[in-house]
Amino acid sequence: MRLLIATLLALVGSSISAQDLLGDLRDQGLGFAQVTPGQSLQFPRDHAAHPEYRIEWWYLTANLSDQEGRQWGLQWTLFRQALSPQQVEAGWQSNQMWMAHAAITTPGGHYHEQRFARGGIGQAGVNRISEDGHFNAWMDDWEWKSTSAGLFPASLRFSIGEREVVLLLESTGELVANGIDGYSQKSAQGQASYYYSQPHIRVRGFVNQGLEKTDLTGKGWLDREWSSQALADNQQGWDWFSLHLDDGYKLMVYQLRHDDGEHWLSGNWISPQGETRLLGSDAINLTSTRSVEISTGANQSRELPMEWKLTLVQQKRSWRIRPLYEQQWMDTRFPYWEGVVLVEDENGAPSGVGYMELTGYQ
Amino acid sequence: MIKALLSHYWRHPWQTLFLGIGLVAGVALWSAVQIINQHAEDSYRQAQSLLGAQAHYWIRSRRDEGIDPDTYIRLRREGFRQLFPLIELEVSTAQGTSISIIATDLLALPGDSFDAGDSTREFSQTWLNFIQPPYRAWVPAVLAQELGLEPGEQLELRDGRRLPPALIQARAQQGRRVLMDIGAAVALSGQDRFSYLAVGSIAPHRFDLLAASLPDHLELIENQQHVDLRELTQSLHSHLTAMSLLSFAVGLFIVFNAVRFSLWYRRSTLLNLRLMGCDNRLLALAILLETLVWSLLGSGFGFAIGVLLAQLLLPSLGASLQSLYDAVVEINLGLSPWTLLQAWCISLFGLLWALAWPLYRQLRHSSFEAARSENLLADETRVRHWLALAGLLLAAVATIAYGRIETVTGGFVVLGLVLFAAAWLLPVMLAAGLRLLACLLPARLLLARWMVSDGWSQLPAFRSAMMALLLALTANLGVGSLVDSFRSAFVGWLEVRQSADIYLRAPQVSHEQLLDLAADGNWLADSHHRIGVSTRWRNRPTLVRGIDPTAPDSLTLPLSRWQGDSAGAALQSWREQADKVLINEQVHFLAGVEVGDHVSLDGDRGSRDYEVVGVFYDYGNPYFQFYLPDQVVAKQWKHYHSRGIALWLNPDNEAAMQQAEASMRALGAQPGDWIARAQIRRLSVGIFDRTFAITAAMNLLTMLVAAIALLASLLAILQERLPQFAQWRALGLRQSEQLLLVATPLLIFCGIVWLLSIPLGALLSWILIHKLNIISFGWSMPLIWEIAPALRLALVIGLICGLTLLLVAFQWRRQMPLALAQLGETV
Amino acid sequence: MLTIKNLCKSYAFADARQSVLQQLDFDMEASSSVALRGESGSGKSTLLHLIAGLDRPDSGEIHFAGHAIHAAPESQLAELRRSQLSLVFQQFHLISTLTVHDNIRFQAALCGRQDPAYESELIERLGLADQLVKYPQQLSRGQQQRVAIARALLHKPMLVLADEPTGNLDEASSLEVMALFSDLVRQAGSSLLMVTHSRAMAGFMDRRVRLHNGILAEDE
């Protein structure tokens, strides 16, 4: 469940306020292909775009450190949207729209960039596996280029302003299907998406900032999701976490906040060996412990929950989650907070790193 | 005390109104032009931007073949995100109106330019509709109004194609163009090549990389439009400024007139105030305060009306600038407080001269001069003579300066000198006219002589109004004759120059193919494929054209000067020798190149010298232009553009036009790629007329201001002389005779002014055509002088006089009874 | 020739109407002369204006030469004024843009009566022969008044209305001008109604009346 749904669906809306945009997210997506249970994911086919669905994304986050041990974070996302149910993919009249986001959390500050492009003319896209046998996702000179039909091993190049990022990505484990075999339910009313992840990515690379080159290594997390509808009527926004724990476990948890306080919680508990356990609302205890006023632009601020307590009931484990630093606001067309978080166990000892995403806060 | 001084304005609301109108009208006309000029200048400054995005460089095909989308995508994927594609199209509506289309990919605009023109940060349905079939055509409100286009309507083109549904909306720097998605333009034109790419702000090292990445057939050109436009259009704006200053001057005459009247009435007030012990310093302060109040009122209202006026005039001027100079002028007016401040300064300055100074003089003399009203006639004669002397002096200065005119501003200064010399000499002329008429009238026509001689009493009151009228008439006739001369020269020139039946401009159609195809039918009589190179010469945009020396239009090329015995001989030597060149008048007049001079042109294969053998007329072209035989251009330049093919149809073949169109279509040309002679002529003349629409409007408004001056003077006369009129009524004068008494001098004066304005107008247009036009635009034309406009103006003056007399008669009916009853009372 | 009955005229002042003439009756014979005296503001000039049709009465009737002045339209009044009436004012009211000669002939020219012999005589008697080509403002006041008199008499009107005709002159020239004036009026066969303060001037007239409290009474 990622923010981009909102951002790109904003494209469809004639409305302006974020509340209204979320309203568009609740659109039933009539005429588009629908997400149904019992469809098994197939690879490499499903790495490529699904233009018959309304929204789709390729979403990478990475927690990295430099040679001095300082924490860095990277985020790179390619987002696709179909503007109409009619399938017109090629040429200027293509109904496919692309957006890309990139952000970098450095010891010196947080930077981001967004881009847009229309489909059909080759400026942005994710190629069909059949074309040259290699997975390739790009917008202008931002590019994910795999040496195989799968997603990995791959190189990823992008830039944020004058900062240039070059990464080598290798998977160290299997892909993980979220929900039930990749069918991820988003509400009791039946909203759902196809959703798989690769939480086991070894990342090596460097960032050029002017004349200064910094080598980085660390762990990445890729999310792939597509759907034609997303939020239920009573859902305001969401809080999403992807955590790399020091003991080798990976944890994905999200909370869709409901008007009545009965939030929809879901997650995936992934062992170092790649075994997954679907977590339902009863299995997760997520509470915010501290809210902070974050500056979101000139003379503007929003109050956001910056520190959280997360408990997995069955696993009897509990963590405190706080941001590396608070100013990781994404001042994009649909603004939200996303950035590097640090994980501590009950005793306050560092026990992991990850990414947090907060949307729908006014 | 101030109340005592100002009470005059309450007691004579008419004169107050006139003072106000004069001031407001003057300021309004001046500030309207100022606002337009300022606005145009701002637009030129924005010429480094396009549709809200920066455009510092252009990428163009060297051979005018457009740009392949694959090249664009490749450059984008190499990281040149500063690039965005553009397609420009010219289409004709079903009604024959020409419209420009600009198309781009809004999503590809670099940086934050995305947001330019949108009030929200979000995408909206508007954007989605824009980029998705059936697309939308964003039409600026003014253009939509002109075309009578409703939102959602699909404008029909001459060939039956339709534009996407209209949305009344515009982006920054869209000007009068229709904006649509590039996908829509591709669908409309049936070809997917871009006209050019724009390059936004780019770092120097990236620029070098970009230059290196470009394929050979593309070139990277700096966008110098903001510099070029300012230079090219400067003359036009100077013309407008001069006209607005003239209007302001005419407005000031009204103020002057109203002030003269107010002085008359406030003499006693001033005297009383002084007797009551107000010292001069205090009175001067009061007068200054009065001036200040008037200047604030005048500039405030004048500016407001000026804004409205500017809004009315801007669309046609914007259209002209776009068609003549490719200058995109924003349709929505931007206002700067600076202009308002200027308006206030100029009105304050005018008032200090026309209101404060006369008042102050009155103040200093009021004590002893009030009693000597019988000396007024003598005073009047003295004023007349001084004015005449000053006028003669101005005329002398103008004569001396005439030979030394070098700049546009200098030219207008001379024009101003001539006009004011004439205006100041006018009172003497009017007096002479009265004297002459008095001599001519037989002694026994006592009443007639009386009516003429009464002119002496009216002359002081009419002096400034007549000067204003003279200025307005002269300007009207002079500028009118300029426009007429230009129009006739232009139309005649079009006739000769655009002699082909069809002009085809389609890069995909080659001349050879067309000739091959034409060989099968008998529709083509002759053809002319012209090539050209766009370059800069002496830092001005310049066209070097390669033309077929034996084509019909080359053989009859109209020359204004030539080497040797005849134009024909000069053309022949140009045809036969590769080192001869023809230049347009702009090169001759603006760059000072004479026949026989040698000019050096930089080709791709080095620079070469050519001898100038002739100068051709090139009306309306702001650029320098050189004509070389096509062989020479092809030899000297590697990359030249096709500048289109001119086709002469077989006059004996009635179906020639249909066959020609079919052939062009067969070769891949789209309707709209060619244009027929009749249409090109209609378009050109349309552009011409639109360009001068603003001139006509300014002329009309100036006439209106002069008419108000006349009315104000007449009413002032009425007020001042009411007791006198009453006396004559007591002698048994009929009402009609009395009206005749007022009308006769008025008509005499107007007649004299009209007669004077005819030669003066001719002089004005002579200077405009033979000096200013050449300095400003670099082209010449014969002066055409006709009597019809002067007769029309006579009619207008007659109407104005009739109207004002009617008003006077009406006023009399109201005021005469009281004046009669007060007759004989001691003053 | 002139008959006035029940003539009333009042003026509006600040906030009240002030009655000037109250049911005034007056008769005047042809070829007679009457001096009209009265205090300042008693309505002497008003009466003159009403007779000349320059002002309208509130009520009452004025009959002159068979015309009902009180009811006549403006055009008819203009005709009467130009041919049968003459007005002579203290300020002369000469036309500054015309010569003395033209000024003299002005009213005669208006009504189209030409009598060169009488014209020469008038000019001769008024002593204006040397001044004819001059302009009025070049003459002395006495001369200007003579021009005004000549203008008033040249067309031989039925009635001359004079309002302090010598008010602007010193006493010596007043008497001289007045003697000449009354003589010329008599010679022309016109009547003269003259407003004056001066007992001496009134002495030149056949009859003297005094206006007091809006009513006329014979004056001694």
Side-chain angles (χ1 to χ4, degrees):
Chain A
M1 184 81 225
R2 306 306 289 250
L3 144 92
L4 289 179
I5 303 177
T7 319
L8 276 182
L9 280 186
L11 289 169
V12 196
S14 56
S15 42
I16 290 154
S17 79
Q19 273 309 314
D20 288 341
L21 292 172
L22 290 176
D24 291 317
L25 274 178
R26 298 182 187 101
D27 193 303
Q28 290 306 299
L30 290 175
F32 293 98
Q34 294 297 314
V35 175
T36 50
Q39 306 285 322
S40 62
L41 301 176
Q42 285 183 30
F43 303 109
R45 184 197 70 187
D46 283 331
H47 295 322
H50 303 79
E52 65 277 23
Y53 290 84
R54 190 157 166 188
I55 46 175
E56 179 165 24
W57 54 89
W58 293 256
Y59 203 127
L60 179 84
T61 54
N63 292 92
L64 304 167
S65 54
D66 60 18
Q67 282 160 326
E68 295 162 40
R70 291 180 300 183
Q71 296 277 354
W72 291 60
L74 286 170
Q75 177 222 325
W76 186 85
T77 315
L78 191 61
F79 194 99
R80 179 197 63 76
Q81 176 176 14
L83 298 177
S84 59
Q86 296 78 34
Q87 285 192 46
V88 194
E89 284 176 62
W92 288 103
Q93 65 275 20
S94 163
N95 71 338
Q96 302 290 309
M97 270 249 336
W98 295 85
M99 185 183 84
H101 264 193
I104 180 167
T105 301
T106 76
H110 174 258
Y111 309 94
H112 63 86
E113 185 175 325
Q114 67 178 335
R115 294 180 174 188
F116 298 88
R118 59 204 299 157
I121 57 167
Q123 190 187 341
V126 174
N127 70 350
R128 291 259 175 207
I129 302 304
S130 55
E131 282 168 16
D132 70 347
H134 297 287
F135 175 82
N136 190 198
W138 76 95
M139 178 180 291
D140 294 329
D141 55 335
W142 291 2
E143 186 168 23
W144 177 308
K145 205 170 181 177
S146 170
T147 56
S148 72
L151 298 165
F152 304 96
S155 65
L156 173 64
R157 291 168 169 273
F158 60 95
S159 53
I160 297 164
E162 290 300 298
R163 293 177 178 76
E164 192 189 353
V165 179
V166 179
L167 301 176
L168 269 171
L169 310 170
E170 293 166 284
S171 58
T172 57
E174 294 300 308
L175 294 171
V176 170
N178 296 311
I180 301 160
D181 295 333
Y183 175 82
S184 170
Q185 202 177 336
K186 296 295 192 257
S187 79
Q189 291 97 304
Q191 276 80 3
S193 66
Y194 294 115
Y195 184 7
Y196 70 89
S197 306
Q198 173 51 280
H200 312 285
I201 305 172
R202 183 163 69 222
V203 181
R204 284 174 299 154
F206 59 85
V207 174
N208 270 332
Q209 304 191 78
L211 297 173
E212 184 192 345
K213 182 183 171 205
T214 311
D215 289 316
L216 299 169
T217 56
K219 300 164 200 161
W221 184 302
L222 176 80
D223 265 11
R224 282 278 294 117
E225 196 162 4
W226 63 98
S227 172
S228 291
Q229 44 164 292
L231 286 188
D233 285 343
N234 54 356
Q235 293 172 337
Q236 308 160 338
W238 58 88
D239 310 304
W240 179 94
F241 301 86
S242 66
L243 307 176
H244 300 276
L245 299 175
D246 290 347
D247 56 12
Y249 278 89
K250 312 280 181 186
L251 175 60
M252 184 277 289
V253 165
Y254 65 83
Q255 158 175 278
L256 286 158
R257 299 192 303 280
H258 282 209
D259 299 341
D260 57 5
E262 294 289 313
H263 303 329
W264 178 273
L265 282 150
S266 180
N268 204 351
W269 176 246
I270 303 154
S271 75
Q273 292 72 38
E275 297 155 10
T276 62
R277 180 170 295 255
L278 177 65
L279 304 169
S281 288
D282 318 338
I284 306 166
N285 217 331
L286 182 67
T287 48
S288 114
T289 54
R290 191 168 80 92
S291 283
V292 177
E293 197 78 11
I294 301 287
S295 164
T296 58
N299 301 322
Q300 289 178 335
S301 64
R302 292 186 202 197
E303 192 176 305
L304 296 170
M306 276 292 108
E307 292 187 14
W308 297 79
K309 190 170 181 232
L310 172 61
T311 306
L312 297 189
V313 180
Q314 285 163 328
Q315 286 72 19
K316 296 194 174 57
R317 294 190 61 172
S318 191
W319 300 274
R320 213 165 71 81
I321 301 167
R322 62 181 175 84
L324 177 62
Y325 48 80
E326 285 157 3
Q327 196 41 266
Q328 299 186 64
W329 179 255
M330 298 284 288
D331 189 21
T332 45
R333 219 156 249 279
F334 182 81
Y336 65 109
W337 193 101
E338 171 151 32
V340 175
V341 289
L342 305 177
V343 184
E344 293 165 2
D345 64 16
E346 286 121 304
N347 307 320
S351 57
V353 291
Y355 256 78
M356 171 169 82
E357 180 188 348
L358 309 170
T359 73
Y361 291 96
Q362 291 304 307
Chain B
M1 179 189 69
I2 290 168
K3 220 173 120 185
L5 264 181
L6 293 183
S7 67
H8 158 78
Y9 292 114
W10 304 127
R11 273 191 285 142
H12 300 283
W14 274 105
Q15 291 302 323
T16 311
L17 189 71
F18 288 137
L19 205 166
I21 287 178
L23 191 60
V24 166
V27 173
L29 287 172
W30 179 85
S31 49
V33 167
Q34 214 53 34
I35 290 166
I36 286 178
N37 282 353
Q38 186 65 46
H39 177 71
E41 191 134 307
D42 289 345
S43 297
Y44 305 152
R45 212 170 291 130
Q46 286 176 15
Q48 278 219 305
S49 296
L50 185 58
L51 300 172
Q54 305 230 296
H56 294 271
Y57 295 91
W58 311 119
I59 294 175
R60 288 180 184 276
S61 156
R62 292 182 195 272
R63 306 202 66 155
D64 202 21
E65 285 162 348
I67 291 170
D68 177 17
D70 291 343
T71 309
Y72 162 67
I73 296 295
R74 177 174 71 73
L75 291 168
R76 288 284 301 203
R77 294 207 56 187
E78 284 173 20
F80 298 109
R81 301 188 60 249
Q82 301 85 352
L83 265 54
F84 56 102
L86 289 139
I87 293 182
E88 286 192 24
L89 298 170
E90 287 289 329
V91 294
S92 293
T93 64
Q95 284 74 40
T97 314
S98 167
I99 44 177
S100 307
I101 291 174
I102 185 161
T104 190
D105 179 6
L106 286 185
L107 292 180
L109 298 192
D112 286 332
S113 45
F114 223 170
D115 293 323
D118 296 321
S119 54
T120 68
R121 285 168 51 85
E122 323 290 339
F123 284 114
S124 60
Q125 191 66 39
T126 319
W127 276 61
L128 292 181
N129 290 340
F130 184 81
I131 59 171
Q132 284 283 291
Y135 305 108
R136 290 292 183 277
W138 287 10
V139 186
V142 176
L143 188 61
Q145 205 183 352
E146 279 175 33
L147 296 170
L149 201 59
E150 295 294 320
E153 200 180 323
Q154 291 190 268
L155 188 67
E156 189 178 348
L157 301 185
R158 199 164 51 97
D159 49 37
R161 289 176 296 170
R162 282 181 180 277
L163 297 191
L167 183 68
I168 313 304
Q169 176 154 345
R171 262 180 90 79
Q173 292 104 37
Q174 183 176 333
R176 288 174 48 85
R177 296 177 287 199
V178 173
L179 173 68
M180 58 177 72
D181 184 60
I182 206 148
V186 164
L188 185 73
S189 67
Q191 41 186 307
D192 71 343
R193 296 178 78 85
F194 306 138
S195 305
Y196 55 94
L197 302 179
V199 186
S201 175
I202 187 168
H205 72 278
R206 297 288 295 164
F207 175 80
D208 296 340
L209 281 176
L210 176 60
S213 302
L214 283 188
D216 211 30
H217 64 277
L218 299 186
E219 58 181 340
L220 195 53
I221 308 161
E222 192 178 353
N223 175 4
Q224 290 190 307
Q225 236 192 336
H226 60 294
V227 186
D228 292 344
L229 283 180
R230 198 169 307 169
E231 196 171 307
L232 293 174
T233 59
Q234 189 199 14
S235 309
L236 184 72
H237 293 301
S238 308
H239 272 93
L240 290 177
T241 304
M243 288 193 69
S244 75
L245 280 174
L246 181 69
S247 305
F248 184 72
V250 171
L252 270 190
F253 276 110
I254 302 187
V255 174
F256 212 79
N257 196 59
V259 167
R260 206 195 68 86
F261 175 78
S262 88
L263 284 182
W264 177 279
Y265 268 81
R266 287 197 284 178
R267 242 177 357 185
S268 57
T269 315
L270 282 172
L271 187 60
N272 283 339
L273 284 171
R274 276 169 59 109
L275 292 177
M276 275 153 48
C278 288
D279 75 345
N280 271 354
R281 190 180 300 248
L282 206 62
L283 279 172
L285 202 73
I287 287 169
L288 219 58
L289 200 74
E290 182 183 331
T291 310
L292 198 72
V293 169
W294 270 116
S295 74
L296 285 175
L297 284 175
S299 52
F301 284 107
F303 188 77
I305 294 175
V307 171
L308 291 178
L309 212 56
Q311 258 156 0
L312 281 176
L313 295 176
L314 189 62
S316 69
L317 185 74
S320 298
L321 286 169
Q322 189 165 322
S323 38
L324 289 176
Y325 300 104
D326 275 336
V328 173
V329 175
E330 288 292 295
I331 280 181
N332 296 321
L333 209 55
L335 295 176
S336 89
W338 177 236
T339 316
L340 180 60
L341 187 72
Q342 275 180 305
W344 180 66
C345 284
I346 187 171
S347 66
L348 187 64
F349 173 77
L351 281 170
L352 280 176
W353 178 71
L355 177 82
W357 174 241
L359 259 178
Y360 185 70
R361 255 188 33 195
Q362 178 78 56
L363 173 76
R364 296 196 39 197
H365 296 292
S366 55
S367 48
F368 52 92
E369 213 161 278
R372 305 194 318 178
S373 61
E374 57 269 29
N375 282 352
L376 274 179
L377 270 179
D379 282 354
E380 177 57 26
T381 313
R382 216 174 43 238
V383 168
R384 213 156 50 219
H385 289 154
W386 276 115
L387 272 178
L389 211 63
L392 280 175
L393 202 72
L394 284 191
V397 173
T399 315
I400 296 166
Y402 178 77
R404 297 185 170 74
I405 298 176
E406 267 162 17
T407 62
V408 178
T409 319
F412 281 117
V413 168
V414 169
L415 270 189
L417 287 175
V418 169
L419 284 175
F420 274 84
W424 286 354
L425 281 166
L426 181 66
V428 172
M429 306 261 196
L430 294 179
L434 279 182
R435 212 166 284 132
L436 186 71
L437 264 173
C439 288
L440 290 178
L441 278 172
R444 62 194 162 77
L445 293 178
L446 177 58
L447 279 184
R449 279 195 294 118
W450 175 47
M451 282 167 185
V452 171
S453 74
D454 194 59
W456 294 105
S457 319
Q458 300 191 22
L459 188 54
F462 268 137
R463 196 173 56 214
S464 30
M466 287 301 144
M467 290 191 205
L469 186 65
L470 180 67
L471 289 190
L473 284 181
T474 304
N476 218 305
L477 285 174
V479 174
S481 145
L482 166 77
V483 174
D484 283 349
S485 304
F486 190 17
R487 198 174 199 281
S488 101
F490 181 67
V491 170
W493 170 81
L494 269 182
E495 200 72 29
V496 181
R497 279 306 296 282
Q498 313 279 10
S499 64
D501 297 299
I502 298 175
Y503 290 86
L504 170 66
R505 189 113 195 241
Q508 67 272 34
V509 178
S510 84
H511 191 211
E512 290 73 25
Q513 281 175 312
L514 196 68
L515 288 181
D516 284 350
L517 206 63
D520 300 338
N522 69 335
W523 55 267
L524 186 64
D526 212 330
S527 71
H528 183 186
H529 180 217
R530 295 163 304 173
I531 56 176
V533 182
S534 297
T535 171
R536 294 183 83 79
W537 187 77
R538 300 214 181 153
N539 206 28
R540 194 179 174 107
T542 300
L543 282 168
V544 177
R545 283 227 185 172
I547 64 178
D548 177 354
T550 57
D553 53 350
S554 308
L555 292 170
T556 59
L557 188 68
L559 297 184
S560 71
R561 331 148 186 246
W562 52 83
Q563 194 174 46
D565 299 336
S566 67
L571 282 176
Q572 191 171 355
S573 85
W574 169 77
R575 267 197 297 277
E576 288 164 359
Q577 287 161 277
D579 63 339
K580 308 290 186 207
V581 69
L582 299 173
I583 60 175
N584 66 357
E585 280 198 310
Q586 287 78 335
V587 177
H588 169 66
F589 287 119
L590 301 181
V593 175
E594 300 287 341
V595 169
D597 286 358
H598 287 259
V599 292
S600 165
L601 298 175
D602 295 331
D604 297 337
R605 298 188 170 87
S607 152
R608 233 186 104 170
D609 269 14
Y610 302 89
E611 188 188 2
V612 176
V613 293
V615 179
F616 57 89
Y617 294 106
D618 199 1
Y619 292 126
N621 187 357
Y623 310 120
F624 289 151
Q625 189 156 218
F626 296 92
Y627 278 2
L628 290 168
D630 48 3
Q631 304 291 344
V632 178
V633 171
K635 212 170 112 194
Q636 288 301 311
W637 279 271
K638 246 190 320 193
H639 303 287
Y640 51 83
H641 302 169
S642 165
R643 307 288 307 187
I645 305 170
L647 302 171
W648 285 263
L649 300 180
N650 185 349
D652 302 328
N653 181 353
E654 279 178 18
M657 184 56 95
Q658 285 76 17
Q659 288 172 6
E661 290 190 349
S663 305
M664 289 187 289
R665 243 194 223 109
L667 291 172
Q670 298 283 328
D673 286 350
W674 66 82
I675 184 164
R677 178 168 60 165
Q679 200 195 356
I680 209 169
R681 193 159 305 162
R682 203 172 54 238
L683 286 176
S684 309
V685 174
I687 289 170
F688 179 90
D689 288 343
R690 209 165 42 189
T691 307
F692 287 101
I694 189 166
T695 315
M698 294 285 296
N699 264 340
L700 186 76
L701 290 170
T702 310
M703 271 304 279
L704 209 68
V705 173
I708 292 169
L710 214 57
L711 185 65
S713 311
L714 259 181
L715 290 184
I717 287 175
L718 184 74
Q719 285 291 340
E720 285 175 16
R721 302 183 67 207
L722 199 57
Q724 238 178 349
F725 290 134
Q727 291 162 23
W728 295 332
R729 285 296 276 278
L731 294 181
L733 207 62
R734 297 188 192 104
Q735 207 170 345
S736 55
E737 288 164 336
Q738 200 149 35
L739 206 58
L740 214 57
L741 175 67
V742 176
T744 307
L746 175 67
L747 290 175
I748 292 171
F749 293 154
C750 285
I752 293 174
V753 166
W754 177 73
L755 279 174
L756 282 177
S757 74
I758 294 174
L760 211 55
L763 179 64
L764 183 74
S765 60
W766 170 269
I767 299 177
L768 280 171
I769 288 174
H770 288 91
K771 281 285 177 186
L772 273 166
N773 203 59
I774 285 174
I775 298 170
S776 311
F777 304 111
W779 64 68
S780 66
M781 58 206 166
L783 169 66
I784 289 182
W785 184 256
E786 283 172 348
I787 195 66
L791 292 179
R792 259 200 307 278
L793 280 181
L795 202 70
V796 171
I797 300 170
L799 273 175
I800 293 174
C801 287
L803 226 92
T804 47
L805 285 174
L806 214 69
L807 209 74
V808 164
F810 175 74
Q811 282 282 83
W812 260 338
R813 198 172 274 280
R814 242 166 30 93
Q815 299 182 346
M816 193 51 87
L818 186 66
L820 283 174
Q822 286 171 344
L823 202 64
E825 285 176 15
T826 20
V827 181
Chain C
M1 179 207 66
L2 175 68
T3 309
I4 297 176
K5 277 186 201 147
N6 284 332
L7 192 65
C8 291
K9 180 71 183 177
S10 61
Y11 287 110
F13 283 101
D15 44 7
R17 285 196 82 80
Q18 190 175 338
S19 188
V20 182
L21 303 178
Q22 291 177 337
Q23 306 218 308
L24 180 140
D25 292 325
F26 179 60
D27 281 293
M28 198 172 161
E29 307 274 310
S31 305
S32 67
S33 61
V34 177
L36 176 57
R37 296 175 64 206
E39 287 139 36
S40 228
S42 57
K44 306 182 298 281
S45 298
T46 303
L47 182 60
L48 233 55
H49 279 107
L50 290 172
I51 294 170
L54 297 175
D55 206 348
R56 297 277 178 178
D58 296 343
S59 64
E61 295 173 10
I62 305 170
H63 296 278
F64 168 64
H67 297 276
I69 300 288
H70 57 275
E74 179 57 35
S75 57
Q76 196 185 339
L77 288 176
E79 291 308 321
L80 263 179
R81 280 200 292 266
R82 68 161 55 189
S83 57
Q84 303 300 348
L85 266 175
S86 269
L87 286 133
V88 181
F89 292 101
Q90 194 178 334
Q91 290 92 4
F92 326 135
H93 295 338
L94 298 178
I95 297 170
S96 63
T97 58
L98 290 180
T99 59
V100 167
H101 198 187
D102 284 339
N103 264 289
I104 292 171
R105 288 188 297 190
F106 187 80
Q107 201 162 3
L110 271 185
C111 61
R113 285 182 202 153
Q114 285 186 352
D115 188 344
Y118 182 49
E119 183 182 321
S120 310
E121 189 192 339
L122 261 181
I123 291 170
E124 193 58 40
R125 289 201 59 185
L126 284 162
L128 293 169
D130 296 338
Q131 318 294 338
L132 290 181
V133 292
K134 291 187 179 168
Y135 284 88
Q137 53 273 35
Q138 294 169 306
L139 304 187
S140 72
R141 286 186 184 175
Q143 287 171 320
Q144 289 190 28
Q145 188 59 298
R146 285 160 200 252
V147 176
I149 289 168
R151 178 179 66 185
L153 294 178
L154 181 55
H155 64 302
K156 294 185 178 163
M158 280 179 84
L159 175 63
V160 178
L161 298 167
D163 194 347
E164 301 275 9
T166 56
N168 251 339
L169 308 178
D170 60 54
E171 195 165 340
S173 39
S174 288
L175 286 173
E176 191 193 334
V177 168
M178 197 57 226
L180 200 50
F181 184 28
S182 56
D183 199 28
L184 287 171
V185 168
R186 221 163 273 136
Q187 187 193 342
S190 305
S191 300
L192 172 63
L193 175 59
M194 180 175 77
V195 169
T196 182
H197 276 102
S198 154
R199 190 177 283 269
M201 296 300 139
F204 285 95
M205 302 293 114
D206 301 342
R207 183 178 153 207
R208 282 155 291 277
V209 290
R210 172 171 281 274
L211 188 58
H212 184 66
N213 286 337
I215 296 171
L216 271 182
E218 294 300 318
D219 189 14
E220 282 318 308

